Amino acid sequence: MLGNVNDKALAALGWATLCAELARLSRTPMGRARCLALLPGDDAALAERRLLQIEEARGLHRREREVPLSDALDVRPAVGRASREGTLEPEALLQVARLIRAATSARRFCLSQATFAPLHAELAAELSELDPLATELERAFDPAGKLLDSASPLLGELRERARGLHRAVKERLEQMLKDEHIVPMLRDLYYSVRGDRYVLPVRAEHKSHLPGTVHNASGSGQTLFIEPQELVELGNQLTIAQAGILEEELRILGELSGAVGREAERLVRDVEVLGALDEVAAGARLADALQAFPPALGAGERATFDLKQLRHPLLALQMHARKQGPVVANDVALPEGARGLIVSGPNAGGKTVTITAVGLCALMARAGLPIPAAAGSRVPLYRTVYTAIGDEGDLSRDLSTFTAHLASLRYILEAAGPSTLVLIDEIAADTDPREGAAIAIASLEKLVDAGATVLITTHLEELKALGLSDPRFASASVGFDVDRLAPTYTLTLGEVGASSAIEIARRVGLPGDVCDRARTLLGGAGSQVSLAVEKLDRERADLTRARESIQGELKLVEEERQALSAEKEKLRKAEREVRALARSELIADLEARYQEASALVAKLQAAPAIGEAVQAQRELKALVEAEEAAGAREQAHGEVLEQVKAAAEDSEAAPALAVGARVRHVRLGSEGVVLELQGGLATVQLGALKTKVAADELVPLARRAQKAPGSRFKKTNAEKLELAESFKAAEVKARLPVIDVRGQRVDDALRDLEQGLDRHFQADERSIVVIHGHGSGALKAAVRESLQRSPYVASSRPGESHEGGDGTTVVQLRT
C-alpha cells in the first residue's frame, strides 16, 4: 500500500488545476464529481488497471466509438429519498428513467466492444437491467413531466369529471355575461378565477343585487370578485373532484417512488459505474490533448524515473488550449546509482518547470493517468511526494522567506524515506551562499542516505560541483543561447549550467552601464566553476553550430544518394525491358524453328525414298546452323545486358557517354567508338561502318566483358543431338517398318508397341524397328523388357549405328 500525498505538495504541483481540466472533459455530473475529487491512489494494481482502461477508451475513440453517457444523471439524492419512503417529484422519477436507459445503452455498447475493450465490458457488466422500471416510469408521464390520465383508471375518471364541471361552470358564466339584467352590475365583461373558484367582477354598489360569495376585491375596493350563488354548488363539486385528482396523483407518485426505492442499491451502483466510465473517457480525452502515453510503473525502493521527451502537463494543456506551438520536450532521468538530480542554469530557463513536471507526472501515474512523455518512459510508484517550492515569509508568525524555507526543509528531512520523491526549488537560498551551500549539501546527503529521490534547482556553485564529484548525485542544466541572450528551455543531462544573471538582467532592461560594470567586477572575482561553465557554454554553442552545419551536409548527401538510387532503378527498369524484348523475340524464333523442324521430321517419316531423306537431312543441317546463329545473337544480347547491369550496379565506375568513349550498341550488340555527339544522336564507328544512332541505345564500356559459355550453347547442342537422332530415325524408316514411341509415357508407349507388333505380324512382316530414343533410359528399358516377353517376338537387339544406334531396337517377328 502507498501513503497519501500531502496537501501542500498537491497545491504546489497544481493538482487541482489538472483535476479541473479533467472534469471539464467529462460529460456527466457524477463523472465531473469523480474527476474533481480524484487523488493519487494507494493501490498499484488499481493504477495499472486505470491506465489500461484509458488506453481502451482511446482505442475506441480512434475507431470512432464512445460509451453513450450523455443522458446519465446523478440521481443518488432522489433515490436516497425514495429508499426512505419519500415521494419523488415527476422530474426526479423521469431522471431515474433516463439513468436506467443510459445504463442499458452503456452496458450493451461495452459488451459489444468486449474484443477491443475487455476492461470496459467487465465494468459495464455490473450495470443493472432495469428497463421494465424505466418503462413503467415513462408510461406514467408526458414529455413535460405531467402524469397522464392513463397512469391509473381512477385518475382518468376523476380528471374527466373535473373537465365536465369546468365546462358546465364556464357555460353558465358565459350566459350570465350576456344577461341584460346582470351586465350593468359588472365592471367588465369577463370572468376570472380566484382561489380555484370562478368569479365575476361586480361593482361594489351592486353587491346586494348579485347574490354570491365574495372571494377578492380590487385595490380601490370599487370592484368585488363574486362567485354567483347558483355556481357555488358546481364549484364545490369541482373542488372535490380536484382534491380527488390530487390525492390520486400523490398515490401514483408514491407507488412509483416506492418502486424506485426498492431498487435503490442497484441504481446507486449504476450511478457509480457510469461515473467511473465517464471518468475513464475524460482521462482518455486528457491523454489525447496531452499526446500522453502510459508509463511503466517501477517497483522497489531503488526504482528511479526515466522520462523521455517530458513536457510539463499544465504547460502543455495551456499551449493546447491556445493552439500555440509545442512545449519544449526534454529527457529527464537519473543515471544508475544516483539518487539526486541537481538542476542549474539561468533564471526563467525552466529549472522549476523541470522538477515540477517530474513531480506532477509521478502523481498522475499514481492516479492512473497517462503522462505527457514518450512511450517507454518509466515512473516509480512513489509512496509520497514532498515539496519545498515557492515558500514565502509569514509576518504574522515572524517568518522570513529563508526561515519558512528551512521550516519546510526540516519537515521533509523528518518525513522523507525510501520510495519518496522530494522536490526543492532553490534549496537554502536567500542567505549567505557559503553557509547556504553547506546546509544544502548536508540536507541532500541525509535525504539520499534515507532512500529518498531528490530533485533540486540551484544557483550555488558548491552544489553544482557536488553533481560532478559525488556519484550519488547527477547534474543537469537548462540551456541559454549566448547569441540571443535568451534561455532555450532545453535540459542537458550531465552538465552544469551558468546562472547568466548579467545577460538576463540586460535582456529585461537593466541599464547597460550597470550590466557592463557587473561584468567587469565578475571578471575579477568570478569563481573557477563559473568561468568553466561559461567556457563550456561557449564551446557548446560552437558545437551546436558545427553540428547544424554537418547535418546540412548530411542532408545534401542523402538527397544525392536518393537521386543516385532513382537513377539505378531507371537502369534496372531498362534492363528488364531489354531482357523482356529479347526473350519474346527468342521465344517467337524458337517456336518458328520448332515448327520447321517438326515439318521436316514429318516429311522424313513419310519419305518413300532415300533421296528425299537425304534432301531432308540437308534442310535439317541448315536449320541447325540457323539455330547456332540465333544462339550467337542471344549471347550478344546477354553481353549487352550484362553491361547495362554493370552500369546500374556501379554507375561511378562506368565512364560517361562522350566523344572517344568506347560503347556497345544495345540492339546490334556491336562495340565501337563515339565520334560525335549532337543532341540525342551519336555518330559511332562500328568496325568499318560509321553510322548515326540514338544516344540512349549506347552503353559506355568500363572494361571489356569476359565471354563465358552460356546455357544457350548447351541448349543448342542438345537440340542438335535431338535433330541428329531424328535424322537417323528417318533413314531407318526409309528401309524398314517402324514403331515410333518417342516422347510417350511408358504405359502409352507399351500399349502402342503391342498394337504395332500385332499389326505388323498380321501383315506378315518379319523385321521391324522400334524407335524409342535415349532420354533418361526408362522408356528404352521398358520397351526392351516388354519385347522379351512378347509372344510376337522371336528375337530383338539394339540397332547398329546405321540403324539408329542404341536409340532403336531391331525386332525379328515369329513365323
Side-chain angles (χ1 to χ4, degrees):
M1 297 295 289
L2 304 170
N4 291 322
V5 179
N6 59 78
D7 293 339
K8 180 181 178 182
L10 293 175
L13 296 175
W15 182 254
T17 303
L18 184 73
C19 290
E21 179 63 20
L22 188 64
R24 188 186 67 83
L25 296 172
S26 64
R27 292 179 295 159
T28 66
M30 50 278 202
R32 282 189 288 275
R34 289 177 66 99
C35 291
L36 290 173
L38 181 64
L39 289 172
D42 293 335
D43 191 335
L46 180 60
E48 291 276 11
R49 181 181 179 85
R50 184 169 293 170
L51 286 171
L52 293 175
Q53 287 174 330
I54 289 176
E55 288 307 299
E56 285 185 356
R58 298 176 77 181
L60 291 173
H61 180 70
R62 287 191 291 271
R63 297 176 59 248
E64 298 184 354
R65 300 286 191 275
E66 195 169 51
V67 181
L69 295 171
S70 56
D71 289 337
L73 297 173
D74 189 353
V75 298
R76 284 176 292 187
V79 170
R81 288 198 306 273
S83 67
R84 296 188 297 272
E85 299 183 359
T87 299
L88 302 182
E89 295 295 327
E91 182 181 358
L93 291 170
L94 287 176
Q95 288 179 354
V96 172
R98 289 174 58 187
L99 174 79
I100 294 172
R101 297 302 189 193
T104 299
S105 298
R107 188 176 193 275
R108 290 174 180 171
F109 172 84
C110 292
L111 292 179
S112 71
Q113 301 295 319
T115 303
F116 307 102
L119 295 179
H120 276 66
E122 182 180 336
L123 182 59
E126 301 177 19
L127 291 169
S128 308
E129 296 183 85
L130 297 174
D131 285 343
L133 176 58
T135 301
E136 183 180 356
L137 295 173
E138 292 165 347
R139 285 177 178 174
F141 301 97
D142 64 12
K146 181 181 177 182
L147 276 171
L148 295 169
D149 292 354
S150 58
S152 77
L154 178 57
L155 180 62
E157 180 182 339
L158 291 172
R159 284 183 174 177
E160 183 58 35
R161 175 170 173 74
R163 284 191 288 268
L165 290 171
H166 276 290
R167 287 193 299 269
V169 172
K170 289 178 181 178
E171 288 174 1
R172 181 60 188 134
L173 287 171
E174 293 288 349
Q175 292 173 1
M176 295 178 75
L177 291 175
K178 297 176 182 178
D179 190 328
E180 59 183 12
H181 296 98
I182 297 176
V183 168
M185 305 179 192
L186 302 179
R187 179 71 63 182
D188 289 300
L189 294 177
Y190 69 87
Y191 63 86
S192 63
V193 177
R194 294 290 188 274
D196 294 331
R197 310 291 285 198
Y198 286 94
V199 296
L200 291 173
V202 180
R203 297 176 185 270
E205 62 269 22
H206 293 293
K207 174 183 177 183
S208 59
H209 299 145
L210 184 65
T213 303
V214 178
H215 288 283
N216 203 346
S218 66
S220 64
Q222 299 298 313
T223 303
L224 301 177
F225 295 96
I226 299 175
E227 179 184 13
Q229 187 62 43
E230 61 182 283
L231 296 180
V232 170
E233 181 58 29
L234 285 176
N236 291 339
Q237 294 179 22
L238 180 58
T239 300
I240 294 171
Q242 289 174 333
I245 291 172
L246 180 59
E247 182 179 353
E248 180 62 12
E249 288 178 345
L250 289 175
R251 186 194 67 80
I252 295 171
L253 292 177
E255 186 176 299
L256 295 175
S257 299
V260 170
R262 287 189 292 274
E263 300 293 348
E265 184 177 347
R266 298 170 70 184
L267 289 170
V268 169
R269 178 58 183 162
D270 288 348
V271 170
E272 293 171 351
V273 171
L274 292 176
L277 288 171
D278 190 23
E279 182 185 5
V280 168
R285 296 187 191 95
L286 180 69
D288 287 342
L290 290 172
Q291 298 179 350
F293 288 90
L297 302 180
E301 294 182 357
R302 303 299 296 176
T304 187
F305 59 85
D306 182 4
L307 299 168
K308 307 177 188 300
Q309 295 298 292
L310 171 67
R311 292 162 287 122
H312 195 289
L314 300 184
L315 189 57
L317 284 174
Q318 189 179 82
M319 293 299 185
H320 177 75
R322 297 176 180 175
K323 297 183 179 179
Q324 295 179 345
V327 179
V328 175
N330 290 301
D331 293 339
V332 187
L334 281 176
E336 185 176 357
R339 303 298 299 175
L341 183 65
I342 300 173
V343 184
S344 57
N347 293 94
K351 300 189 300 298
T352 306
V353 168
T354 297
I355 66 171
T356 55
V358 175
L360 188 51
C361 285
L363 298 182
M364 292 175 69
R366 281 187 51 180
L369 296 174
I371 62 174
S377 296
R378 184 180 68 253
V379 181
L381 216 56
Y382 291 110
R383 178 169 54 85
T384 190
V385 178
Y386 297 105
T387 60
I389 297 172
D391 290 310
E392 297 180 355
D394 186 345
L395 295 177
S396 65
R397 297 172 54 202
D398 194 24
L399 294 178
S400 67
T401 301
F402 178 66
T403 307
H405 185 78
L406 289 182
S408 297
L409 185 59
R410 182 194 64 188
Y411 171 77
I412 293 173
L413 289 170
E414 292 172 351
S419 298
T420 59
L421 177 64
V422 178
L423 310 175
I424 305 177
D425 188 30
E426 300 296 344
I427 185 171
D430 299 313
T431 189
D432 177 82
R434 294 181 64 250
E435 291 184 337
I439 294 173
I441 292 173
S443 299
L444 293 178
E445 290 176 344
K446 181 175 177 61
L447 287 172
V448 297
D449 288 342
T453 299
V454 186
L455 281 78
I456 71 164
T457 66
T458 188
H459 290 287
L460 300 176
E461 294 179 353
E462 289 83 354
L463 290 181
K464 298 176 185 179
L466 181 66
L468 301 175
S469 60
D470 191 332
R472 295 175 298 175
F473 298 93
S475 295
S477 68
V478 290
F480 187 79
D481 190 327
V482 294
D483 295 328
R484 296 188 300 114
L485 299 179
T488 64
Y489 307 108
T490 301
L491 185 76
T492 305
L493 298 174
E495 294 188 1
V496 175
S499 297
S500 305
I502 297 176
E503 288 80 3
I504 294 175
R506 190 187 303 275
R507 181 168 175 259
V508 299
L510 209 65
D513 56 345
V514 173
C515 295
D516 293 339
R517 176 58 178 163
R519 171 62 64 187
T520 301
L521 294 173
L522 181 64
S527 70
Q528 294 298 318
V529 173
S530 295
L531 296 175
V533 169
E534 290 182 5
K535 180 180 178 182
L536 286 173
D537 284 341
R538 288 193 296 271
E539 292 178 352
R540 187 185 303 121
D542 293 340
L543 288 173
T544 300
R545 286 190 288 269
R547 181 166 57 250
E548 291 174 352
S549 176
I550 292 172
Q551 288 175 346
E553 294 294 332
L554 289 175
K555 183 178 180 181
L556 292 176
V557 170
E558 177 62 19
E559 291 174 353
E560 292 178 359
R561 188 192 67 77
Q562 292 178 357
L564 181 60
S565 177
E567 188 64 27
K568 287 183 177 181
E569 182 59 31
K570 288 174 60 178
L571 288 172
R572 292 191 185 98
K573 183 178 180 181
E575 175 191 1
R576 290 193 295 269
E577 292 175 352
V578 171
R579 284 189 181 277
L581 178 62
R583 188 180 298 110
S584 60
E585 292 176 352
L586 178 60
I587 291 173
D589 189 43
L590 288 175
E591 182 66 25
R593 299 297 181 186
Y594 177 75
Q595 295 294 336
E596 293 177 17
S598 298
L600 288 173
V601 170
K603 184 176 180 181
L604 282 172
Q605 292 175 345
I610 192 67
E612 295 183 6
V614 171
Q615 179 61 30
Q617 179 184 11
R618 291 174 181 160
E619 293 179 3
L620 279 171
K621 182 177 180 181
L623 184 60
V624 169
E625 292 174 351
E627 280 296 295
E628 290 177 345
R633 288 196 303 275
E634 170 66 9
Q635 184 179 11
H637 274 293
E639 292 175 354
V640 172
L641 291 175
E642 288 298 325
Q643 291 290 337
V644 173
K645 185 175 182 181
E649 295 296 332
D650 190 10
S651 59
E652 295 182 359
L657 187 64
V659 175
R662 189 161 187 80
V663 296
R664 181 184 292 276
H665 195 283
V666 174
R667 289 188 297 101
L668 301 178
S670 303
E671 294 184 10
V673 177
V674 177
L675 301 179
E676 183 181 356
L677 287 171
Q678 186 174 3
L681 298 176
T683 303
V684 185
Q685 184 75 43
L686 300 174
L689 177 65
K690 183 187 298 183
T691 182
K692 278 191 175 182
V693 297
D696 57 5
E697 294 184 352
L698 300 176
V699 176
L701 299 178
R703 57 185 181 276
R704 184 174 298 277
Q706 296 295 324
K707 293 184 179 181
S711 60
R712 176 63 195 163
F713 277 42
K714 295 179 182 178
K715 187 175 179 182
T716 303
N717 291 335
E719 291 174 353
K720 289 168 64 179
L721 178 60
E722 184 67 26
L723 290 172
E725 288 185 355
S726 297
F727 172 68
K728 290 180 180 180
E731 289 184 319
V732 172
K733 288 182 179 181
R735 294 195 301 272
L736 294 174
V738 299
I739 300 175
D740 192 347
V741 294
R742 288 176 298 173
Q744 298 186 28
R745 297 168 58 90
V746 172
D747 293 342
D748 296 338
L750 295 182
R751 184 176 61 254
D752 290 349
L753 175 63
E754 186 69 18
Q755 293 175 355
L757 291 174
D758 181 73
R759 185 173 61 254
H760 289 297
F761 182 82
Q762 294 295 334
D764 203 23
E765 295 172 345
R766 295 294 172 261
S767 295
I768 63 173
V769 176
V770 178
I771 304 176
H772 42 65
H774 294 283
S776 64
L779 180 60
K780 175 170 63 176
V783 166
R784 289 179 176 174
E785 182 179 352
S786 179
L787 290 173
Q788 291 177 0
R789 298 195 305 267
S790 176
Y792 296 104
V793 178
S795 63
S796 62
R797 60 174 175 80
E800 300 293 343
S801 58
H802 65 279
E803 295 172 321
D806 199 39
T808 64
T809 299
V810 180
V811 180
Q812 296 295 324
L813 300 179
R814 296 180 183 275
T815 57

